[in-house]
Amino acid sequence: MSKNQEFRQAVKNYFKKTDFLLLTVAIVASGYGLVLISSVGTAREMIVQTVGICLGITAYIVLTIFDIEHLSAFWKVALILNLLLLSLTLFFGEGSEETGNNSWIRINLSSSLQVGFQPAEVGKVIYIFTLAKHFKVLGDRLNTFKGLLMLGLHAIIPVMFVFFFSDDDGMAASYLFIFVVMAFAGGIYLRYCFAGILAFAGALPLLWFFVFSQYQKDRFIVLFDSTYKTDTVGYHQSQSLAAIQSGGFWGDGYGKGSICQYDYLPADHTDFIFCVACEEFGFFGGLLILVLLSSLILICVFSAISMRDDKFSMLCCVGVAAMLTFQTFINVGMCLRVAPVIGLTLPFFSYGGTSVLTMFIALGLVASLKGHYIKRAYNRSPYEE
């Protein structure tokens, strides 16, 4: 067989194994997000987002070429590296008064060019990857005292790093939600899961009075009092609702949103990009976002079900589905004033090179495990869990 024939055969095999439905939906979602950003963002933001999407698609393809499950043998190294990555914000983290955190690492390449990334965004994928492997390694020892203790430390330490080092409560909540969903799917006894949830609920008063800052408390108070601090904290959500109502059923048209276009809606290209879609494209503009994101979540869930006899692969897919679900629910909830403004982006739609790149990497993880599943199942010992 000639080299050209070998290459064509390799490409043909790749197309057979790769989940192009997952990739196609992700590209459509990020493309729609790019349209929304072009309406309210700057030329520089368009370039950054486009580069992030291109890098994300490339990362997706690269990840699906080989079976990423082979890297799970180094999960302990990945866990340590993730903690080191998350701790960078303690020393080099930057943010702004608007975001209320210092979750960004910014590098000045020149006097006019600055590159930034969020360690916690990248860390989410590593968190899912290492947790899934830890569940599998524990096996029958999962529900023992030592097993639960080690897994609990694995889950909570990264959450604490994000919360205390980055002051990013939204991202910390995302990590915690991912673990809770993976715990249910991973086989932790329900009584232990409920005990953990009750313990967290019992700790909420302590968090409220001794851990949360006044700014963090304000973001919850405005959900129940529309007249509270309408010139600062409450302003975001009052304007987000106004933008959604302005769009009505058919929308005001691309680039014609009276609230978004005249800077009455803060963070319109990031946290409140859903409002831009609703104001300019109406009910159907918002519905399309929900349909695309729901499709991605369902594909991940069905992938998990199809690989339920491979605990590591199944839990990775569950973790990615949980990440997408939480960010979608919270971000849309922020816009509808049913969830606090905690700075979580809308997956694939909000502006942010790190965010969109991370989402493609997460889907690449799912596609890689799914594409190589049959070969792994064939080679797996019948005595392996």
Side-chain angles (χ1 to χ4, degrees):
M1 184 180 291
S2 66
K3 290 185 178 180
N4 287 336
Q5 290 176 320
E6 290 178 355
F7 176 76
R8 286 196 295 269
Q9 185 62 39
V11 173
K12 185 177 180 180
N13 291 336
Y14 174 78
F15 273 81
K16 285 182 178 179
K17 292 189 296 184
T18 301
D19 192 337
F20 274 96
L21 175 61
L22 188 63
L23 178 60
T24 300
V25 176
I27 291 175
V28 171
S30 57
Y32 183 19
L34 202 59
V35 171
L36 297 175
I37 293 169
S38 71
S39 175
V40 294
T42 64
R44 179 187 178 280
E45 290 165 348
M46 280 289 293
I47 294 172
V48 170
Q49 192 74 358
T50 302
V51 170
I53 293 171
C54 292
L55 289 176
I57 295 172
T58 303
Y60 179 98
I61 294 173
V62 170
L63 286 171
T64 54
I65 290 175
F66 66 94
D67 189 354
I68 202 168
E69 193 270 344
H70 296 319
L71 297 178
S72 66
F74 306 101
W75 71 276
K76 292 182 180 179
V77 176
L79 172 59
I80 294 172
L81 290 176
N82 195 27
L83 294 178
L84 292 174
L85 177 67
L86 296 176
S87 66
L88 288 177
T89 54
L90 178 63
F91 307 99
F92 310 108
E94 296 183 17
S96 66
E97 186 177 348
E98 180 182 343
T99 61
N101 60 58
N102 59 317
S103 57
W104 285 87
I105 302 294
R106 304 190 190 279
I107 303 172
N108 293 315
L109 299 180
S110 67
S111 59
S112 59
L113 181 60
Q114 185 183 71
V115 177
F117 75 99
Q118 284 182 286
E121 281 282 3
V122 180
K124 274 189 298 189
V125 180
I126 305 175
Y127 183 71
I128 292 169
F129 184 82
T130 56
L131 268 179
K133 184 63 176 181
H134 199 167
F135 270 99
K136 184 172 182 178
V137 167
L138 286 173
D140 295 335
R141 297 175 288 116
L142 174 63
N143 287 290
T144 64
F145 175 78
K146 183 178 180 181
L148 290 172
L149 176 63
M150 297 306 294
L151 193 64
L153 290 174
H154 184 165
I156 201 64
I157 290 175
V159 174
M160 293 174 65
F161 273 40
V162 173
F163 186 84
F164 290 108
F165 293 171
S166 302
D167 294 324
D168 195 340
D169 49 352
M171 190 68 70
S174 177
Y175 275 63
L176 197 59
F177 181 82
I178 289 170
F179 171 68
V180 170
V181 175
M182 291 180 70
F184 275 104
I188 292 181
Y189 292 156
L190 289 179
R191 59 179 178 271
Y192 296 144
C193 293
F194 286 126
I197 293 174
L198 289 175
F200 176 75
L204 284 178
L206 296 176
L207 292 173
W208 181 266
F209 289 108
F210 301 106
V211 178
F212 286 176
S213 64
Q214 186 58 47
Y215 179 78
Q216 291 169 321
K217 294 177 183 178
D218 288 344
R219 291 184 293 185
F220 286 92
I221 295 173
V222 297
L223 298 179
F224 305 97
D225 185 358
S226 59
T227 63
Y228 184 75
K229 292 189 177 182
T230 55
D231 58 333
T232 55
V233 180
Y235 180 77
H236 293 67
Q237 289 180 307
S238 62
Q239 292 301 104
S240 69
L241 283 177
I244 293 173
Q245 292 168 355
S246 174
F249 201 75
W250 300 109
D252 296 334
Y254 174 77
K256 297 179 180 179
S258 58
I259 295 177
C260 297
Q261 294 299 323
Y262 293 98
D263 296 328
Y264 290 118
L265 177 64
D268 51 6
H269 61 304
T270 53
D271 293 358
F272 294 97
I273 196 74
F274 181 77
C275 300
V276 177
C278 291
E279 183 176 31
E280 299 196 346
F281 300 113
F283 170 79
F284 291 106
L287 179 63
L288 180 57
I289 290 178
L290 297 179
V291 169
L292 290 170
L293 291 176
S294 297
S295 299
L296 292 175
I297 293 167
L298 288 175
I299 293 172
C300 291
V301 170
F302 287 133
S303 296
I305 294 172
S306 68
M307 297 184 287
R308 58 188 176 274
D309 60 334
D310 182 346
K311 197 167 193 176
F312 170 74
S313 300
M314 181 270 289
L315 286 176
C316 280
C317 296
V318 167
V320 173
M323 176 183 70
L324 291 170
T325 300
F326 185 77
Q327 287 194 215
T328 300
F329 177 81
I330 293 297
N331 185 276
V332 174
M334 283 161 42
C335 297
L336 297 175
R337 202 170 190 155
V338 295
V341 178
I342 54 177
L344 283 180
T345 58
L346 188 63
F348 294 101
F349 290 91
S350 293
Y351 167 73
T354 307
S355 176
V356 72
L357 174 59
T358 300
M359 292 302 159
F360 273 105
I361 291 174
L363 295 187
L365 172 64
V366 172
S368 172
L369 294 171
K370 184 179 179 182
H372 297 272
Y373 167 72
I374 295 177
K375 183 178 180 180
R376 280 201 314 278
Y378 179 79
N379 293 329
R380 189 165 60 242
S381 167
Y383 301 103
E384 182 181 349
E385 184 184 1

